[in-house]
Amino acid sequence: MPELPEVTTIVNDINDKLVGRTIIEARLTSFGENLRVKSKQDLDQLLTGKKIEKAQRKAKYLLLKLSSGDNLVIHLKLTGQFILRDKSAKADEFTRMVLNLDDGKQLRFNDRNGAAEAFISENLEEIKDKVAADAFETDLTLFSKNLLSSDKKTIKETIVDQRIIAGVGNIYADEALFLAKINPSRGPKALTEDEQITLLDSIKQVLNEGIEHRGTTIDSYRDLLGNPGTHQNFLRVYGKGNRPCSNCSTSIEFTEINGRRTHYCPKCQPDNQLTLF
Ligand SMILES: [Zn+2]
């Protein structure tokens, strides 16, 4: 499930390896029917012959800025991949769109479960309306204001809400709450100012660690060259249910909060504080 660090890693790789390359052919496979870039005419008109100028990230969206001024916008959702291969490399599973480049390489947009998005946008208004500032763009005043405006019952659901703080998903939310010693079930409006400061710092810290380790690969995330990240080897609580907490050796609890897998240490993150909602 690519979150901010994983998308940042792919964006950095594209800026390192693909700037100035021209797309010489774009096509959808039979798996690509649900994508919003639908027709051959669309693809030819919007992508073929265009140079890749740069890649950017907005929240969890990957934006490929083209020489036409348009952006190819990709959201990897749960299982999307954006991978650079030699054109002759063996097929990947679930490739939905293929972009052939002028140096004989091929960009493949793969997605197992079919929820990932690809579309062309000139001005990105559609994205700007959907997401809040990301963790690195958020200061304490904004964070505090957004927490108070949350319509969620718990702080866990609140920090994965892209309208509150963009780029954080299940993995980094659990990691940040553990680092901040805040129980994931607490109400978002009950945090003290000190806790808000610690939580925002912790979110930034875990995202930076994720970027440093080129992302977390639990399932299908891969970087631009198809390699897994390594941050899964550095996780503190996520995926560690029933294993001892690294701080206090208490068993890490695994639960679901409104359908979201959630991991926390009941001793380091006690739920004995006043919850105002
Ligand atoms: Zn603990």
Side-chain angles (χ1 to χ4, degrees):
M1 53 189 91
E3 303 179 27
L4 185 153
E6 290 73 34
V7 180
T8 299
T9 301
I10 298 172
V11 163
N12 291 345
D13 285 354
I14 292 172
N15 284 329
D16 195 31
K17 297 178 193 317
L18 292 184
V19 170
R21 294 265 70 91
T22 299
I23 299 167
I24 57 168
E25 188 199 4
R27 64 184 162 80
L28 298 181
T29 71
S30 56
F31 287 115
E33 286 160 3
N34 64 332
L35 297 180
R36 280 158 55 191
V37 272
K38 276 194 190 310
S39 67
K40 172 97 179 79
Q41 193 187 6
D42 254 8
L43 291 172
D44 280 346
Q45 193 184 337
L46 296 167
L47 299 178
T48 305
K50 309 297 185 293
K51 261 194 173 65
I52 295 170
E53 291 203 331
K54 65 177 168 180
Q56 294 171 284
R57 179 189 58 72
K58 176 69 185 165
K60 297 186 204 170
Y61 288 93
L62 187 166
L63 315 173
L64 208 58
K65 180 98 193 291
L66 304 171
S67 50
S68 55
D70 285 332
N71 290 276
L72 173 61
V73 182
I74 303 265
H75 195 304
L76 299 169
K77 295 288 172 94
L78 288 175
T79 59
Q81 301 175 330
F82 201 56
I83 296 184
L84 184 70
R85 306 265 194 219
D86 285 329
K87 204 173 164 185
S88 58
K90 77 173 172 59
D92 291 313
E93 275 193 307
F94 307 113
T95 295
R96 290 171 189 270
M97 182 169 58
V98 169
L99 307 177
N100 285 323
L101 305 179
D102 59 350
D103 61 353
K105 304 260 188 183
Q106 190 170 68
L107 271 169
R108 297 177 186 172
F109 178 44
N110 305 331
D111 182 32
R112 190 177 69 223
N113 80 0
E117 291 181 64
F119 57 96
I120 308 281
S121 174
E122 191 183 348
N123 53 24
L124 304 172
E125 284 305 315
E126 179 181 355
I127 299 172
K128 288 174 191 157
D129 289 347
K130 266 191 199 168
V131 296
D134 71 35
F136 298 123
E137 299 163 337
T138 298
D139 62 13
L140 182 64
T141 309
L142 180 60
F143 188 51
S144 184
K145 178 171 154 261
N146 287 355
L147 288 183
L148 290 176
S149 74
S150 174
D151 55 7
K152 307 289 185 199
K153 286 195 171 135
T154 65
I155 188 65
K156 167 70 187 270
E157 294 165 276
T158 299
I159 59 173
V160 297
D161 181 347
Q162 300 304 297
R163 300 165 305 162
I164 300 286
I165 187 163
V168 180
N170 250 3
I171 298 174
Y172 295 97
D174 283 4
E175 294 292 299
L177 287 166
F178 175 75
L179 207 55
K181 298 188 183 330
I182 293 171
N183 188 285
S185 297
R186 288 183 59 201
K189 297 170 192 175
L191 267 54
T192 64
E193 189 179 341
D194 279 352
E195 286 175 326
Q196 292 176 2
I197 294 169
T198 309
L199 180 56
L200 184 58
D201 284 349
S202 299
I203 290 172
K204 291 178 184 180
Q205 182 181 330
V206 297
L207 293 175
N208 273 323
E209 289 172 356
I211 293 168
E212 193 183 318
H213 297 132
R214 300 187 57 79
T216 304
T217 299
I218 303 280
D219 179 11
S220 52
Y221 162 71
R222 297 289 183 275
D223 68 16
L224 184 70
L225 297 184
N227 299 313
T230 61
H231 192 58
Q232 63 279 9
N233 303 321
F234 299 89
L235 294 173
R236 297 168 174 93
V237 282
Y238 188 86
K240 300 200 180 292
N242 296 324
R243 286 197 250 165
C245 167
S246 55
N247 277 346
C248 73
S249 298
T250 302
S251 235
I252 301 289
E253 296 264 355
F254 167 65
T255 182
E256 285 205 0
I257 293 183
N258 205 8
R260 287 185 172 275
R261 296 163 62 87
T262 299
H263 309 76
Y264 68 102
C265 171
K267 189 167 176 196
C268 296
Q269 298 164 269
D271 188 16
N272 57 0
Q273 295 162 70
L274 184 63
T275 300
L276 301 171
F277 183 77

